[in-house]
Amino acid sequence: TQLLEQSPQFLSIQEGENLTVYCNSSSVFSSLQWYRQEPGEGPVLLVTVVTGGEVKKLKRLTFQFGDARKDSSLHITAAQPGDTGLYLCAVPNQAGTALIFGKGTTLSVSS
Amino acid sequence: EPEVTQTPSHQVTQMGQEVILRCVPISNHLYFYWYRQILGQKVEFLVSFYNNEISEKSEIFDDQFSVERPDGSNFTLKIRSTKLEDSAMYFCASNEREREKLFFGSGTQLSVL
């Protein structure tokens, strides 16, 4: 079983639509990060959430950390083609010395 | 914004050959990492490095792998005898302090034939 389950695996939508992707686990985490990865590039950090129930906004992106710190969601409002990419959630390992990634959600936004 | 630089961007090698993947972390960063991503699969941790020694390594990082910081700027990953299953995108990453924002390079696509 995967530590982090991301859903959906693939999402294809039209420009202007809203969407939510999820990162779920049965474990509790001290923090959780969301990254975006474009083809041929490394992941780029979008946000870190730390407190249960925390909501962070980054322009049209809204990130929420679950109350129990076991899951997180990423909501994109009015998606644009530039939002296309692989969205990864990641959590620190037990020692806090490395990141464990989910498999990601591949988002495709068409104009 | 400062960047982590990786070379080469692509490397093709024959099975059994040694490869060295190179990285230049951001200059004031102290913690260095290698991750890999097999096509269609998740990003996997290989090794972390601090103060000129390995601080943690995963099960993937077996005796065929080694890391080195040969000078004040470069951080290398060596695979001694490549296998077909080593084909992947290898990412170098660094941060200033542990648990802080991790900066990834653009990766080296390794193809083992």
Side-chain angles (χ1 to χ4, degrees):
Chain A
T1 54
Q2 300 289 327
L3 179 65
L4 296 172
E5 296 283 350
Q6 289 195 246
S7 61
Q9 191 175 354
F10 299 97
L11 190 56
S12 183
I13 61 171
Q14 294 291 317
E15 183 175 4
E17 291 184 32
N18 302 331
L19 66 114
T20 303
V21 299
Y22 301 92
C23 176
N24 295 307
S25 178
S26 56
S27 301
V28 177
F29 304 113
S30 57
S31 64
L32 185 145
Q33 296 182 329
W34 283 94
Y35 287 80
R36 180 164 159 262
Q37 184 180 16
E38 297 190 42
E41 297 292 328
V44 175
L45 180 66
L46 296 173
V47 78
T48 302
V49 286
V50 178
T51 308
E54 181 177 3
V55 175
K56 281 192 173 178
K57 292 196 173 186
L58 189 67
K59 297 182 182 177
R60 292 176 293 100
L61 277 59
T62 302
F63 305 85
Q64 182 159 13
F65 201 13
D67 291 340
R69 289 184 288 122
K70 292 182 178 182
D71 49 68
S72 182
S73 63
L74 158 58
H75 181 79
I76 301 179
T77 304
Q80 298 175 2
D83 295 326
T84 293
L86 177 65
Y87 288 83
L88 300 161
C89 63
V91 294
N93 64 359
Q94 208 161 9
T97 51
L99 287 177
I100 301 170
F101 284 85
K103 282 192 170 183
T105 293
T106 299
L107 173 65
S108 174
V109 183
S110 335
S111 54
Chain B
E1 189 170 56
E3 290 183 342
V4 175
T5 307
Q6 289 187 244
T7 55
S9 55
H10 294 83
Q11 174 90 51
V12 180
T13 189
Q14 294 290 325
M15 192 169 55
Q17 295 294 305
E18 173 184 287
V19 293
I20 297 177
L21 310 183
R22 301 180 193 280
C23 170
V24 179
I26 294 172
S27 61
N28 63 329
H29 286 185
L30 301 177
Y31 296 83
F32 314 120
Y33 310 81
W34 284 100
Y35 286 80
R36 80 171 185 190
Q37 187 175 31
I38 294 172
L39 185 64
Q41 298 188 26
K42 63 179 181 178
V43 177
E44 299 175 293
F45 168 72
L46 294 178
V47 66
S48 57
F49 191 87
Y50 170 70
N51 201 26
N52 282 320
E53 59 183 32
I54 291 173
S55 34
E56 184 154 358
K57 58 184 180 180
S58 71
E59 294 173 352
I60 303 167
F61 195 87
D62 61 23
D63 292 345
Q64 295 299 314
F65 291 86
S66 62
V67 289
E68 195 177 33
R69 187 152 163 84
D71 52 45
S73 59
N74 289 286
F75 178 51
T76 62
L77 173 69
K78 183 193 290 188
I79 308 175
R80 196 178 331 151
S81 177
T82 50
K83 304 188 284 283
L84 295 176
E85 54 265 38
D86 293 328
S87 295
M89 180 75 97
Y90 287 81
F91 291 106
C92 174
S94 69
N95 53 10
E96 193 172 350
R97 282 177 286 275
E98 216 171 30
R99 298 183 177 85
E100 295 208 348
K101 180 178 179 179
L102 200 55
F103 291 80
F104 283 84
S106 295
T108 293
Q109 180 64 57
L110 176 65
S111 298
V112 182
L113 307 178

